[in-house]
Amino acid sequence: MNVYDSARMEDVLKPLGYEMTDGPDQANMVILNTCHIREKASEKVYSELGRLKNIKKVRDENNEMIIAVAGCVAQAEGEEISRRAPYVDMVFGPQSYHNLPEMIAKAHRAGDGKGRGILMTEFPAEDKFDHLPDPVKPEGYSAFLSIQEGCDKFCTYCVVPYTRGAEYSRPTAHVLKEARQLVEQGALEITLLGQNVNAYHGDDGQGGEWSLGRLIRELAEIDGLERIRYTTSYPAEVDDDLISAHAEVPQLMPYLHLPVQAGSNRVLAAMNRNHTREQYLEIIAKLKAARPDLALSSDFIVGFPGENDRDFEDTLDIIRQVGFIQAFSFVYSARPGTPAATMDLQVEKAVANERLQILQKLLGDIQTDFNQSCIGKEFPILLEREGRNPGQLVGRSPYMQPVHVDAPLDFVGQIHDLKIVSARPNSLGAQLVDGERKRA
Ligand code: 5AD
Ligand code: SF4
């Protein structure tokens, strides 16, 4: 989401004459687009700001360089940032980046000061998407499209409902228009984005609403759109319509990020996840019945308050049962203002770290096994760019594995059926199949 947001900020800034630089050394303005999800991410902002302050001191005698903090740390800690780093000029949350021109004008009017003190962290009534320019050309052949923002789920560990605000779905006409533009500009693959993407219920302009399943079916009608993905989903919102879209829409990739976080019912309840382990497994069974080649990835939190050895065993067990081929896993991080931060029985860091290592080893083994099991199979591979070695191209499998293949340069930007011939922990090697012809 932050990658997408940064690209949209770039879209807003281009008409003002701004261009990307290779690093802060050459920049007139530096925007840190920040993440507040765990303490480590949050704290990184302050060390980065210290670095920028020094660059500014060395380089910028007239104090012209603008230092800005955007994103969820800005949203959550606006005043705190100005206090801890008074030299920061602009602080603005994820709902405000369409106001960048106005903020920059204000910054310039404020003169060459140290810390121009501009703060924008309210949730404005207007739809920021209505005020953003059309996206400029996506980089490469795979594009992001934000269709939903915010979260009403209030998992007890999570800051997102506070930093990103309530759930909001973009109207269907806007999404379709942006998707068509992206395809016209060369995108073969679109990943639909939302903090809670499967809670999508976009206004269709005729008094009705489309679910995510319906939206995917309509997107699949766009000529030239070869691949559709969506992320991130909330298990309790996976409905039958979405499940049947997985059966009916061939462009929908057989790979789904469906975070379960933990495998113990006690912990899931304490997390306020709104489903049991059994219900999660049932959703997976239905999805796999609809699309037998579906593979899953997940997020995990270990060391949630009250998690004991048996609970942790349940998490390992659900990992073995589902066989997640990819995952992001984290030690629980207490976030100020969330209910879990003040729960009893906080787990010791050392215990949580040990559990994380065990969990990551298991996940790594499953990923390696899955990659090995791909050898000998043929997959459609979206060839995205040249590789490091001469004559080599790099692409993505339906399961998001990077794939290396020796192939002609003009295959870049096309999808080819390739035979997988080797596997590494994080990538695959492939060969052209005899008689392979262009697909896209
Ligand atoms: N501590 C650790 N991990 C967290 N996540 C969200 N909040 C926390 C927290 N307080 C993880 C969840 C979520 C992912 C984006 O970040 O696993 O799915
Ligand atoms: Fe956070 Fe996701 Fe839970 Fe929403 S559903 S509160 S974004 S973990």
Side-chain angles (χ1 to χ4, degrees):
M1 185 62 90
N2 270 15
V3 170
Y4 177 86
D5 282 356
S6 298
R8 300 316 300 270
M9 283 191 241
E10 199 184 337
D11 296 342
V12 175
L13 291 170
K14 273 214 172 118
L16 304 182
Y18 282 94
E19 259 176 36
M20 281 296 218
T21 65
D22 289 334
D25 289 334
Q26 307 99 45
N28 299 102
M29 171 163 69
V30 177
I31 303 175
L32 295 184
N33 192 9
T34 60
C35 176
H36 195 241
I37 197 102
R38 284 169 294 276
E39 192 181 356
K40 218 166 159 185
S42 251
E43 279 305 312
K44 223 159 87 182
V45 175
Y46 292 100
S47 53
E48 242 349 87
L49 282 173
R51 217 166 63 88
L52 290 174
K53 181 186 173 192
N54 291 335
I55 292 176
K56 181 165 169 151
K57 209 182 331 173
V58 172
R59 214 198 78 192
D60 188 20
E61 281 176 4
N62 302 329
N63 246 320
E64 282 169 358
M65 176 176 161
I66 294 175
I67 300 181
V69 181
C72 289
V73 177
Q75 187 65 41
E77 298 182 11
E79 312 256 319
E80 167 90 356
I81 293 172
S82 308
R83 200 179 53 74
R84 278 178 71 174
Y87 48 88
V88 169
D89 299 294
M90 302 188 324
V91 177
F92 53 98
Q95 303 307 325
S96 305
Y97 50 76
H98 58 297
N99 294 320
L100 261 169
E102 183 191 331
M103 287 187 271
I104 290 170
K106 266 195 198 155
H108 285 309
R109 277 202 300 276
D112 307 336
K114 273 195 192 132
R116 293 158 172 110
I118 295 160
L119 180 71
M120 255 198 203
T121 51
E122 61 277 15
F123 289 99
E126 83 254 29
D127 172 5
K128 79 172 165 196
F129 289 103
D130 285 344
H131 296 268
L132 285 169
D134 289 341
V136 292
K137 198 171 163 22
E139 268 182 42
Y141 302 92
S142 183
F144 289 131
L145 201 177
S146 175
I147 64 167
Q148 184 279 336
E149 278 202 19
C151 182
D152 298 341
K153 304 299 185 263
F154 290 94
C155 300
T156 52
Y157 50 81
C158 184
V159 289
V160 168
Y162 311 97
T163 55
R164 290 270 175 176
E167 286 176 11
Y168 165 80
S169 299
R170 291 178 69 191
T172 61
H174 296 198
V175 173
L176 290 176
K177 180 174 164 229
E178 194 168 323
R180 283 191 202 102
Q181 278 170 346
L182 290 169
V183 173
E184 271 163 29
Q185 288 162 344
L188 296 174
E189 174 175 275
I190 290 181
T191 302
L192 306 173
L193 292 181
Q195 267 88 35
N196 227 303
V197 73
N198 63 327
Y200 181 81
H201 52 95
D203 184 345
D204 70 357
Q206 293 166 11
E209 283 182 347
W210 289 4
S211 64
L212 180 62
R214 170 88 192 268
L215 180 70
I216 288 169
R217 285 186 180 86
E218 303 277 347
L219 287 169
E221 298 296 317
I222 297 176
D223 235 10
L225 180 55
E226 302 279 330
R227 290 182 163 192
I228 302 170
R229 303 179 187 273
Y230 61 92
T231 197
T232 291
S233 295
Y234 183 70
E237 293 250 23
V238 175
D239 60 14
D240 288 345
D241 184 41
L242 184 58
I243 293 172
S244 62
H246 278 274
E248 291 157 21
V249 179
Q251 295 96 321
L252 192 53
M253 288 291 98
Y255 180 57
L256 180 59
H257 186 61
L258 192 62
V260 67
Q261 313 293 357
S264 140
N265 282 337
R266 241 170 43 82
V267 173
L268 286 169
M271 287 177 162
N272 190 32
R273 289 291 290 177
N274 280 316
H275 65 78
T276 61
R277 133 198 206 98
E278 291 75 21
Q279 285 164 335
Y280 182 85
L281 290 169
E282 198 181 313
I283 296 164
I284 303 289
K286 281 189 184 172
L287 282 161
K288 286 204 167 178
R291 181 88 204 228
D293 58 347
L294 187 85
L296 288 125
S297 70
S298 178
D299 294 343
F300 294 96
I301 297 176
V302 297
F304 186 80
E307 182 190 72
N308 61 30
D309 287 342
R310 268 203 59 190
D311 296 319
F312 178 59
E313 272 305 320
D314 284 346
T315 300
L316 297 179
D317 188 65
I318 205 167
I319 292 173
R320 286 188 208 101
Q321 272 198 50
V322 177
F324 296 99
I325 63 161
Q326 247 283 0
F328 300 100
S329 47
F330 315 98
V331 163
Y332 166 72
S333 163
R335 307 304 291 126
T338 59
T342 49
M343 282 181 185
D344 292 339
L345 299 171
Q346 300 281 328
V347 174
E348 269 178 53
K349 272 271 164 307
V351 173
N353 281 328
E354 196 183 325
R355 286 181 188 160
L356 186 70
Q357 281 189 9
I358 295 168
L359 178 131
Q360 290 186 336
K361 166 86 174 61
L362 175 60
L363 288 164
D365 288 349
I366 295 174
Q367 184 175 5
T368 304
D369 284 353
F370 179 73
N371 287 352
Q372 286 289 337
S373 77
C374 294
I375 294 176
K377 291 189 179 153
E378 269 178 38
F379 290 136
I381 309 294
L382 168 49
L383 294 163
E384 292 179 313
R385 57 186 167 83
E386 283 182 83
R388 231 178 283 149
N389 302 335
Q392 190 186 55
L393 304 184
V394 187
R396 292 256 173 203
S397 77
Y399 302 105
M400 294 293 278
Q401 299 141 298
V403 180
H404 301 268
V405 61
D406 286 336
L409 193 55
D410 64 356
F411 278 21
V412 170
Q414 298 173 356
I415 295 174
H416 287 267
D417 287 327
L418 302 180
K419 184 168 179 180
I420 307 302
V421 291
S422 63
R424 293 174 169 224
N426 293 308
S427 67
L428 302 175
Q431 277 175 359
L432 297 182
V433 176
D434 285 345
E436 168 54 9
R437 60 185 172 81
K438 277 189 189 180
R439 285 171 40 113

